[in-house]
Structures are given as C-alpha cells and as structure tokens.
Amino acid sequence: MVYENDEGKPQKVSNFRYNSPLIQVIIIGLVCFCCAGMFNALSGMGGGGQVDHTAANNANTALYTTFAVFGILGGGIYNILGPRLTLIAGCSTYVVYAASFVSYNHNRRETFVVVSGALLGVGAGLLWAAQGAIMTSYPSSNRKGTYISIFWSIFNMGGVIGGLIPFILNYHRAEAASVNDGTYVGFMCFMAFGALLSLLVLPPSKVVRDDGSVCTQIEYSNVGTEIVEILKLFLNWKMLLIVPAAWGSNFFYTYQFNNVNGELFNLRTRGFNNVFYWGAQMLGSVGIGYLMDFSFQSRRKRGFLGIVVVGLLGTTIWGGGLANQLRYSRNHVPEKLDFKDSGGAYVGPFLLYFCYGLLDAMFQSMVYWIIGSLADDSETLSRYSGFYKGIQSAGAAVAWQVDVHGVSYMNQLIVNWVLTTASYPLLFLLVTLAVKDKNTIEDQGASLLLSSVF
C-alpha cells in the first residue's frame, strides 16, 4: 500500500500502523468491549442481575436521563478535550456503576445504585460521543460500513464474554435471588482495563488514512463555538429526520432484557442467552456492513438497500415477537425456562431473543453508516453522533420508566415495533436528500488502497 509523500515520491505504509484508522477503530472497539459491552451484559440479565428490577430500572432512568444531556453535549466536549481525556473520564464511571450492585447485594439500599446510574449517564455520553466520532470519521468514506462492522463485532464480543461471566459463576444457582459478588467484580475488572486502554486512542489530527490524508487539521475547539454548533443541531433537518430512529434504537432494550430474557428464563439461562444475543450482534453488524460498502458502486443505492433489508427483517422479527408475547402477560407469567432442562419449549423463545440481537446490530449499524455519510470531518461527526446518542438515551430513559409503571408487555412490544418501523421512510428520505451518490477523489483512491485489506 503506497501514497505520495511531500516530495511527490511513493511511500509505503502498513495497514496495521498504530496511527491508522483500522488500528484506532480496533482500539476503541476494545475500549467499548470492556466498558459498554460489559454493561450491556449486565443489563441483559434483566434488572442488573437482581430479581427485583426496581433498583436497576430507576438507576437506568437516571442513567439515560443524564446520558441524554451529555450525549448531546458529548460531541462538543470531545472537540474541546480530545479523545483521551474524554474517554478516560467516561470509562471510569462504568466501574462505579458495577460496584454499586456489590453494595446493593449487601445493604439493599437503592440510593447508591441510582446515583451511580446518573454518573454513568454522564460518562456514557462522553464515551459514545468519542466512539461515534472515531468510528465515523477516521475511516475513508467508502469503507465506513466495514469499519463500523469491525467496531460492532469487537464491542459486542464484550457482551458475549460478559454473558459467560454470570453464566459460569451462577451455573449452580438457577433460582438464586441475584448474581453473586464475584460476577460484579468480574465486570469491574474488565471496565477498569477498558479505562486504561482508552489512553492509547490518538487524536484525529494524528491519524493518517491509507491514502495519506489526515482525519482533520483542527486540533482543538472552544466552549463558545461548541455551544453554538450543538444548538444548531436542533434545527438541522438532517438530524430531525434521524430523531425517530434515535429514539427507538434503545427503547426496545427494556422490553427485551426485562420482559423477555428476564421474565421467561431462569438466572443461569439469562447469561447463556446473552452470549448468543451479543454474538448475533456480531453477525448482524458484519452482514449489514458488507451490504452498505460493497453491494453497489453507488453509495446512495447501498443506503437504500440497507434500509430495505433492515426494514423487512425487522418486520419479520417483531412479528415473531408478537406471536411469543401472546403466550404470556405481566399477570400470567409461565414457569421459568432453563436451557438444559426445558427441552423444546426453550428453543422458540431463545431463537427470538437471538434474532432481537441480530436486528439491534443491523439497525444501529445502518443508522451509523448514514450518519457517517453526512460528513467526513471529525468535528461535525462527533456532534452528529452525540446528538444521536443523546436522543437515543432520552428514549431509553422513558422506556425504563414505562416498565417501572407496569405498562403491559403487549403494549411495550407494539410501541417498539411502531417506533422502529416509522423511522425507515424518514431514513430513506435522508439518504435521498443528503447522501452523495458520486464518490470523491479521496473515495476512489481509498477504494483501491483498501481493497488489499478487505
């Protein structure tokens, strides 16, 4: 792989340079593997691993409320502090959150859990704004789907490993009241390592693409500029078209984690299911990433195809969810299923939960690809990504309280289905109006240079 240096002479560069987009995306994937991936595994058990979901639901409401605010502000904070300070501050809050459940196991006091949830919302806003900027702006324009799938696969491996932790440590405790302290300590160790790993992430001005271009020449911003630019997002028609997709993209977690996995399966089986839920996310992200980078030469057609594929798959999976939900309700819950002892009765609900994970990754990867197609510079995309995560988190905060207030499982399913379905035509319109169909010179050069990697 070569590009010309300042003297006009060919210069060979490695695909696995420390300052390459590929390595940097892998590093941020590993950071999210350790922090957000482990958090997802913990949440996926239903109620944070507690039989009584109230403490975890209230903590998640606090979490996603502050996440909504700092998700939107996170892009501006990232542009001021840079990736390393933003990430280390964000990742540290995950450790505190996991520690709060160790405390709750012993004193049953909800206050620490809720406060740590609110703190984690601040940290998650910083982490995901930085992640979004890195994942969408560091790669070349015509390989963003590939890099998104690489990130998503690494990140969701955290959910796979995180699912194994409670499965192994609680294998002989099928009817236990909650997961044991060792499970939470295991999560804490991974999260602390992720915080340290974030120090390896380079700022965009030091990341060199394989065609020799840098991600941005701007090395810092200021508070006034970022406040103005963030406020403009609420009047940006591109962002307004993304709002339904953003609101719905985490709204379904409450239903899937608490009212499918948490309600239908016993403790050890929840961990077992999560291994496959997050494994399905890896498969889904790779599949949609390939379609949105390689299916057509036209970038716009690739966007259309991705939306149609995700829309059709989503309709099928939510239809399966409806058939499953007709079997039980909040007032009539069947006997808990066990992966080992329940035989054929376990297969159908397990496959549905697996498909929910597949759809989640495909839906979010598709939306991230569209966001990444709206700009190329790190500053703009950090704000776009932060706005997306902020609106997403506001939706999630509402969803956790919907469950706390006892809304029927059937109504929750219908709302989730409607939210995701309503977003498809708006995303289709966004691709039509905002995604450029013709590749730039940079795209064409990068396509040739990256063909040797993928």
Side-chain angles (χ1 to χ4, degrees), residues 78-355:
Y78 168 86
N79 289 339
I80 295 169
L81 298 181
R84 286 173 175 165
L85 289 177
T86 303
L87 287 169
I88 192 69
C91 292
S92 300
T93 63
Y94 284 83
V95 184
V96 178
Y97 180 76
S100 73
F101 281 99
V102 177
S103 173
Y104 186 76
N105 262 354
H106 294 276
N107 58 39
R108 314 309 293 177
R109 294 176 183 172
E110 187 178 317
T111 303
F112 183 27
V113 180
V114 174
V115 171
S116 67
L119 180 63
L120 176 55
V122 176
L126 301 182
L127 169 62
W128 284 103
Q131 172 271 338
I134 292 167
M135 187 177 66
T136 57
S137 70
Y138 284 20
S140 300
S141 299
N142 66 332
R143 288 297 177 266
K144 292 189 178 184
T146 301
Y147 280 73
I148 289 170
S149 68
I150 290 172
F151 164 82
W152 213 261
S153 296
I154 297 172
F155 157 52
N156 283 299
M157 181 58 73
V160 173
I161 302 299
L164 287 173
I165 292 174
F167 171 65
I168 294 171
L169 295 181
N170 297 278
Y171 183 83
H172 297 294
R173 305 173 71 230
E175 304 302 328
S178 67
V179 301
N180 56 27
D181 289 353
T183 303
Y184 294 120
V185 171
F187 285 134
M188 290 169 62
C189 291
F190 273 101
M191 292 167 175
F193 180 73
L196 294 175
L197 194 62
S198 68
L199 298 175
L200 297 178
V201 174
L202 291 175
S205 59
K206 294 185 178 180
V207 177
V208 181
R209 297 187 178 114
D210 297 308
D211 61 354
S213 64
V214 296
C215 295
T216 182
Q217 296 289 353
I218 301 174
E219 296 188 3
Y220 61 90
S221 184
N222 60 74
V223 175
T225 297
E226 293 305 321
I227 290 175
V228 171
E229 293 301 322
I230 289 171
L231 290 175
K232 286 181 179 178
L233 294 175
F234 292 92
L235 299 177
N236 186 323
W237 64 270
K238 298 175 186 177
M239 294 296 97
L240 294 179
L241 288 175
I242 283 177
V243 166
W247 184 273
S249 59
N250 270 187
F251 201 92
F252 48 67
Y253 279 164
T254 306
Y255 172 76
Q256 292 173 3
F257 293 161
N258 281 4
N259 305 329
V260 179
N261 197 35
E263 195 75 294
L264 295 181
F265 306 98
N266 64 21
L267 180 60
R268 69 177 183 182
T269 304
R270 291 179 224 161
F272 180 80
N273 290 348
N274 279 335
V275 172
F276 290 91
Y277 181 93
W278 301 114
Q281 297 236 1
M282 297 168 65
L283 295 176
S285 64
V286 170
I288 197 66
Y290 181 86
L291 284 180
M292 302 193 81
D293 269 355
F294 298 102
S295 55
F296 292 103
Q297 184 175 1
S298 164
R299 191 192 306 179
R300 187 176 296 166
K301 287 183 179 179
R302 284 182 263 139
F304 293 153
L305 178 63
I307 295 168
V308 169
V309 168
V310 174
L312 292 175
L313 184 65
T315 300
T316 302
I317 292 172
W318 282 114
L322 175 62
N324 179 68
Q325 189 58 69
L326 289 171
R327 301 186 305 106
Y328 70 102
S329 68
R330 190 179 287 274
N331 297 321
H332 299 282
V333 181
E335 182 179 352
K336 301 288 186 183
L337 297 170
D338 183 83
F339 78 99
K340 187 176 180 181
D341 300 329
S342 297
Y346 168 73
V347 175
F350 165 77
L351 289 177
L352 173 64
Y353 192 62
F354 176 90
C355 289

Side-chain angles (χ1 to χ4, degrees), residues 427-441:
L427 293 174
F428 203 91
L429 178 62
L430 179 60
V431 171
T432 301
L433 298 177
V435 175
K436 302 298 183 182
D437 196 28
K438 184 178 180 181
N439 286 339
T440 62
I441 294 175

